[in-house]
Amino acid sequence: MSNNKRYILALDQGTTSSRAIIFDEESTPVSISQHPFEQYYPQPGWVEHNPNEIWYTQSSVAAEAIARANLTGRDIACIGITNQRETVVVWDRSTSEPVYNAIVWQDRRTAEYCSRLIQEGYSDMIHSKTGVIPDAYFSATKLKWILDNVAGCRQRAQRGELCFGTIDSWLVWKFTRGKKHVTDITNASRTMLFNIHTLDWDEELLKLFDIPREILPEVKSSSEIFCETATTLFSTKIPISGIAGDQQAALFGQLCIEPGMAKTTYGTGCFLMLNTGNTPVKSKNNLLTTIAWKIKDEVIYALEGSVFVGGAAVQWIRDGLKIITDSSETEQLANSINDSNGVYFVPALTGLGAPYWDQYARGAILGITRGTTRAEIARATLEGIAFEVNDVLLSMEQDMNKRIHSLRVDGGAVANNFLMQFQSDLGNINVIRPKIMETTALGAAYLAGIATGIWSGPDQLKSKWQIDKTFIPQINKSIIEHKLQKWHKAVKCVRDWSIE
C-alpha cells in the first residue's frame, strides 16, 4: 500500500475477544484481526479474565492487522484504544504481573456488599457524585474485593507497590513497558470512584471503599497524545492518542455528536446512550449519568442504560440449551412463525440492569406449552432483547421529557433484521443501521485521529456516516401495547428471585 496515506490502528478490547482494525483517512476499514480468549467462572456469578491473555491477544491482533494490510508500523499515524469497561486489573508496579485475575464487569461477587451500601444510605451520595448507583457492575467494589481478599495486597497498595486500572490502563502500561499509568475520563467515570462534576477522583468515595489514591491512574481526556509505544511489536514508536470506553466510543463512532442523538450497541449486553451535551442530566428512572467524551476542554455528558444480557442470551440458547448451532439461525426461526405464541424470555441471566437494577433477578422462559418449539424460544429470545432495550428507551424519553425519534444501532446482533424490525415496532421509532458497522473501533480511531491532526474535529466527520438501512415501525399499536403488558408481567415474575 502507498505510504502517502495515513492509517489509524484501533484496538477494540472486548469481553470475549480482542480485535484490531486499521482505518484509512476516509474511515474505511482496511484490515481486521480478532482473537478470542478464555472466560473463567471460578464460582457461580463470578467472571474473570487472565490479564496476560488479554495483552497477548491484543498485541498479536495488532501485529496481524498491520501485516494483513501490507503495512508496517511506520504507516500507522496513531493508535486508538477502546475497551470493555468496569473490568478491574491490579498489577505489581515493578514486575507488571497481575496480583489476581481481572474481575469482569459481569461479575456479581460483590452484590451483597452493594446491597449493604444501599441499606446504609450511601446510594444518593454515590449517584450524585458519580452518576452511577451502587452495583457490582462497577469497578470500585471489585477493586476493594481484591485488596481485601488477595493476601498482602492492601498493604502493598498502601506502600505504592501496586497499580489499579481498567483494561485501557492495563494496555497502555504494557504498550509503554510500564512508563505510563493513565486512563481516560470515560473509563474513570465508570469506576464509582470518580466525581463527574469536579472531574477528579473523589476523596469521600476513596475513603468509603478504602482505596489508596496511590494506586489510581492519572485521568486524561479522550483525545490527546497519551504516550508513545515502547514495545518491539512495531518497527517505530507510535502515539496512542485516543482512549474511550467501548460504549462511549460507539456513541462517538456513530457521530451522535448533537444533544438528543442516541445509539444502542447490541453486544454481549445492550447499551443505550443519549448525548445530553455539556449538561449532566440526573435520571429519575435509574439510568446512569456518564461522561461521553472530553476533547480539549469540552466535556460531553450522556444518559446511559445498560442491559446486562443481550447477545449473550442468543449465545446461551446456542451453547447452553443447544437448540441452535449458529446465532444467525435465530432470524430464520423467528420468521418461520407469525408470533411467539405467548412465550416470553426475560434474559436476566446475570440480573437485570437499567432501569430495574435488580442484581437478584434471574432469567426465565414463561408461557411454555406442549406446543412450544425451538422457533418460539428463538423468537422470544430476540424479542426479549428488544423488550429490554425498549424499557431503557422509554426511561430516557421520560428523563428528557421528549420523544427520541431515531436510534442508531451497532454491534454484532444488528445484522439480524428481525430483531431490528421488532425494536422499531416496539418503540415506534426509526432504527438506523450504518454502512460501517465497526463503530466502536471507529470511535476510538476518530478520537485518536483528531488528537494527531488527521481530522480537525467532530464536525469534519459528519459526512463520513452513511446509512445501510432504516427500519420503520410496522406493527399495529394495540398489538404492541398487549405485548408490552405481558412483558412487564413476565419481568415481575423474575424480580428478586435469588434472594434467600
Side-chain angles (χ1 to χ4, degrees):
M1 287 192 178
S2 169
N3 287 336
N4 296 327
K5 283 189 175 182
R6 292 177 294 180
Y7 298 91
I8 304 101
L9 173 61
L11 305 178
D12 184 357
Q13 204 298 300
T15 307
T16 58
S17 69
S18 297
R19 308 170 74 236
I21 303 178
I22 293 176
F23 294 94
D24 64 18
E25 293 177 64
E26 298 305 312
S27 70
T28 303
V30 173
S31 72
I32 300 176
S33 181
Q34 179 171 355
H35 283 188
F37 54 85
E38 194 76 27
Q39 310 288 305
Y40 299 94
Y41 307 100
Q43 292 186 33
W46 293 28
V47 189
E48 296 178 359
H49 294 156
N50 181 330
N52 285 323
E53 285 182 33
I54 287 176
W55 164 243
Y56 298 148
T57 54
Q58 191 64 77
S59 56
S60 65
V61 293
E64 276 182 17
I66 292 172
R68 286 179 179 177
N70 196 25
L71 301 172
T72 72
R74 298 183 186 281
D75 298 305
I76 306 300
C78 53
I79 295 173
I81 295 174
T82 183
N83 56 284
Q84 53 166 316
R85 303 172 305 170
E86 298 96 14
T87 297
V88 166
V89 186
V90 178
W91 65 92
D92 185 288
R93 193 179 290 273
S94 59
T95 67
S96 297
E97 277 303 306
V99 302
Y100 188 80
N101 270 347
I103 301 181
V104 180
W105 60 272
Q106 298 164 313
D107 189 282
R108 309 306 296 169
R109 77 186 67 187
T110 60
E112 188 177 330
Y113 173 66
C114 290
S115 294
R116 287 207 310 274
L117 288 172
I118 294 169
Q119 290 163 8
E120 292 168 8
Y122 288 107
S123 189
D124 286 345
M125 182 271 282
I126 290 172
H127 190 211
S128 65
K129 285 173 176 281
T130 67
V132 306
I133 63 173
D135 191 271
Y137 177 33
F138 303 106
S139 308
T141 61
K142 305 178 198 298
L143 172 56
K144 176 178 170 59
W145 187 94
I146 290 175
L147 296 182
D148 288 344
N149 290 276
V150 179
C153 267
R154 183 165 293 286
Q155 294 76 15
R156 293 173 66 195
Q158 289 166 345
R159 293 195 298 266
E161 296 172 8
L162 301 182
C163 294
F164 150 73
T166 43
I167 296 299
D168 58 308
S169 298
W170 171 242
L171 291 178
V172 169
W173 180 271
K174 295 295 284 184
F175 272 114
T176 62
R177 290 184 166 180
K179 290 186 177 69
K180 283 289 181 180
H181 185 208
V182 297
T183 189
D184 96 294
I185 199 167
T186 69
N187 280 291
S189 75
R190 309 297 296 189
T191 59
M192 208 157 58
L193 297 170
F194 188 78
N195 190 313
I196 63 171
H197 309 287
T198 65
L199 307 181
D200 195 7
W201 301 114
D202 190 272
E203 290 296 338
E204 188 177 5
L205 293 170
L206 295 179
K207 185 176 179 181
L208 174 65
F209 294 110
D210 197 13
I211 306 296
R213 195 179 181 108
E214 291 81 4
I215 69 171
L216 301 176
E218 180 186 0
V219 181
K220 303 277 211 173
S221 75
S222 311
S223 179
E224 62 177 275
I225 297 177
F226 295 86
C227 55
E228 290 184 328
T229 58
T231 65
T232 56
L233 190 66
F234 308 114
S235 56
T236 186
K237 294 179 178 179
I238 304 173
I240 297 174
S241 54
I243 298 177
D246 52 9
Q247 303 315 317
Q248 285 94 334
L251 188 72
F252 198 75
Q254 287 275 31
L255 293 175
C256 293
I257 57 178
E258 303 292 339
M261 297 180 75
K263 71 89 194 174
T264 305
T265 298
Y266 297 80
T268 303
C270 296
F271 302 88
L272 282 77
M273 272 195 147
L274 174 73
N275 183 326
T276 64
N278 302 119
T279 307
V281 174
K282 188 172 182 180
S283 174
K284 302 181 185 70
N285 294 284
N286 294 322
L287 301 182
L288 307 178
T289 306
T290 197
I291 294 174
W293 55 78
K294 181 183 179 186
I295 299 176
K296 295 181 179 177
D297 293 325
E298 185 178 38
V299 178
I300 300 297
Y301 291 88
L303 276 176
E304 178 176 347
S306 305
V307 171
F308 293 155
V309 175
V314 176
Q315 292 171 341
W316 177 71
I317 67 168
R318 181 193 67 196
D319 302 335
L321 291 188
K322 299 188 187 300
I323 63 172
I324 56 172
T325 56
D326 189 88
S327 299
S328 62
E329 289 177 53
T330 54
E331 182 173 357
Q332 180 185 348
L333 285 167
N335 284 322
S336 70
I337 51 178
N338 294 323
D339 193 79
S340 62
N341 297 317
V343 177
Y344 286 77
F345 179 15
V346 185
L349 306 182
T350 57
L352 283 171
Y356 304 102
W357 292 106
D358 184 347
Q359 51 199 357
Y360 299 106
R362 290 297 178 265
I365 302 175
L366 301 152
I368 298 172
T369 68
R370 287 197 66 178
T372 299
T373 69
R374 68 190 190 114
E376 278 83 8
I377 292 175
R379 182 168 177 137
T381 302
L382 297 177
E383 290 183 351
I385 296 168
F387 279 124
E388 289 185 303
V389 169
N390 190 66
D391 283 345
V392 178
L393 194 62
L394 289 173
S395 297
M396 283 183 171
E397 290 182 335
Q398 290 167 11
D399 280 338
M400 299 300 291
N401 197 27
K402 62 172 68 172
R403 281 270 293 140
I404 298 171
H405 295 287
S406 66
L407 185 66
R408 297 184 176 190
V409 296
D410 55 72
V414 301
N416 191 306
N417 289 327
F418 173 87
L419 174 59
M420 294 298 98
Q421 184 59 56
F422 190 70
Q423 193 74 73
S424 172
D425 295 335
L426 265 188
N428 190 30
I429 189 171
N430 289 347
V431 171
I432 306 172
R433 185 168 65 196
K435 280 189 176 178
I436 296 178
M437 302 291 287
E438 304 291 351
T439 53
T440 304
L442 185 57
Y446 282 158
L447 291 167
I450 289 171
T452 51
I454 293 176
W455 301 292
S456 59
D459 287 340
Q460 188 190 346
L461 298 168
K462 286 181 182 178
S463 63
K464 298 186 182 302
W465 190 81
Q466 296 179 326
I467 295 173
D468 171 54
K469 185 171 182 177
T470 300
F471 297 85
I472 299 169
Q474 294 179 357
I475 297 182
N476 182 283
K477 189 176 179 182
S478 63
I479 295 174
I480 290 299
E481 286 175 353
H482 174 72
K483 286 181 176 293
L484 286 169
Q485 285 177 351
K486 296 287 281 186
W487 162 255
H488 289 121
K489 184 178 180 181
V491 170
K492 284 181 182 177
C493 292
V494 308
R495 299 292 305 273
D496 297 326
W497 181 262
S498 65
I499 288 181
E500 294 299 332

